Amino acid sequence: MSNTIPKMKCLIIDDEPLARFHLKELADQIDFLSVEGTCATALEADTKVKETEIDLLFLDINMPYLTGLEFLEQLENPPLCILTTAYSEYALEGFRLQVVDYLLKPIAFNRFYQAVNKAQQQFIISEKLKKNTPLDDPFLYVRQSDSFIKVSWVDILYIESMQNYTKLHFKNKSLIIHQTMKAIEESLPSDHFFRIHKSYLINITHIDMISGGRLFINKIELPISRTRKEELLNQVVYKKLISK
């Protein structure tokens, strides 16, 4: 692995002590993984994820109080995730939540290795996009069936998450593409785009008004999550506020 790409910081979440031990033992064999901790519950993991920068979750599904899927769904900006479970019926739900892979217990090393390599490839793309944000070139290409349509990110008003698809909203049109919100967010300049909600990424240059927990773009009302509102005000509004 290139020296410019850091190790992936991992968190293992499983209510079974032997399962946590086994996953850590597997992860310790991979040189591009760094296990930052293990958690017995999703509630414990929630605190860890908020306090520590985590790149990859190994997440059990069946846990007391809060299931792995419930935990993943409520995260504002979830890390990459590999689900670990003894039950195959959750595979479709995992796909909806855009997980990297789905490992059935007992987990063999070869399947673990395949899964973490998939995660590393996504992580490398993410890291490269962060360092090479296309600020000078406003154009992107989006796939529509067998065609490639050239668009300018400057003209994107906001982006809406639709499970495994995203919808790009422009002033007079919209485009649906097969791409995750996380991947789209990482490919766009962070000083122009801001995630106001789990389902919405907005182009801050097109904001017309912010009022309470709502934001208006091109007369469209969008919700601002409670956890993102203060950061939006600090990063976007207060810096350009001319009246007290």
Side-chain angles (χ1 to χ4, degrees):
M1 186 178 63
S2 168
N3 291 331
T4 60
I5 304 296
K7 286 191 174 189
M8 298 180 70
K9 296 177 180 177
C10 310
L11 184 64
I12 295 167
I13 309 159
D14 199 304
D15 62 328
E16 299 175 11
L18 284 176
R20 294 196 300 274
F21 177 82
H22 180 57
L23 279 167
K24 186 176 186 308
E25 195 173 42
L26 294 176
D28 285 343
Q29 307 308 309
I30 311 296
D31 62 359
F32 57 79
L33 297 181
S34 171
V35 178
E36 300 297 303
T38 63
C39 299
T41 67
L43 294 173
E44 182 185 348
D46 191 49
T47 302
K48 187 81 173 176
V49 168
K50 288 173 181 174
E51 292 176 350
T52 312
E53 185 180 340
I54 298 295
D55 303 309
L56 176 64
L57 301 175
F58 293 101
L59 181 62
D60 184 30
I61 293 178
N62 289 313
M63 291 186 290
Y65 307 114
L66 191 68
T67 71
L69 293 174
E70 289 168 343
F71 165 65
L72 186 62
E73 197 158 23
Q74 60 85 37
L75 288 176
E76 196 78 37
N77 292 296
L80 294 170
C81 179
I82 294 173
L83 291 177
T84 62
T85 181
Y87 305 95
S88 60
E89 62 264 30
Y90 294 109
L92 189 62
E93 188 73 2
F95 179 73
R96 182 180 73 79
L97 292 170
Q98 302 164 9
V99 301
V100 174
D101 210 338
Y102 186 97
L103 296 179
L104 281 175
K105 298 175 181 177
I107 300 167
F109 181 77
N110 65 320
R111 271 296 290 125
F112 181 84
Y113 189 62
Q114 288 174 2
V116 297
N117 269 289
K118 283 168 66 176
Q120 191 206 22
Q121 291 307 309
Q122 292 190 32
F123 179 67
I124 288 172
I125 291 169
S126 168
E127 288 297 303
K128 286 182 176 178
L129 287 170
K130 286 177 187 175
K131 294 174 183 176
N132 300 293
T133 307
L135 291 172
D136 298 326
D137 183 0
F139 297 108
L140 303 165
Y141 284 88
V142 296
R143 187 168 197 153
Q144 296 286 280
S145 189
D146 294 327
S147 303
F148 297 91
I149 300 175
K150 185 179 182 181
V151 300
S152 169
W153 58 255
V154 174
D155 297 326
I156 297 173
L157 302 180
Y158 65 95
I159 299 167
E160 181 181 2
S161 174
M162 302 171 67
Q163 295 185 4
N164 293 303
Y165 293 83
T166 49
K167 190 173 187 178
L168 311 182
H169 292 268
F170 299 85
K171 193 167 187 179
N172 299 310
K173 66 178 179 179
S174 61
L175 296 171
I176 295 176
I177 62 174
H178 188 264
Q179 185 59 279
T180 66
M181 179 70 96
K182 183 178 175 66
I184 287 286
E185 184 175 7
E186 290 172 347
S187 67
L188 292 167
S190 60
D191 56 345
H192 286 77
F193 286 83
F194 188 92
R195 187 80 163 265
I196 60 167
H197 186 276
K198 187 175 183 180
S199 300
Y200 295 102
L201 176 69
I202 58 124
N203 187 336
I204 64 173
T205 60
H206 292 292
I207 296 173
D208 294 321
M209 182 174 72
I210 299 170
S211 178
R214 292 283 184 265
L215 178 148
F216 294 84
I217 293 179
N218 196 37
K219 298 181 180 178
I220 303 295
E221 182 179 327
L222 301 174
I224 308 170
S225 74
R226 187 167 45 85
T227 56
R228 299 296 286 160
K229 183 180 177 182
E230 192 63 32
E231 193 173 346
L232 175 68
L233 294 175
N234 288 329
Q235 289 190 14
V236 178
V237 178
Y238 294 152
K239 288 180 180 179
K240 295 182 180 293
L241 190 63
I242 60 171
S243 61
K244 302 297 182 185

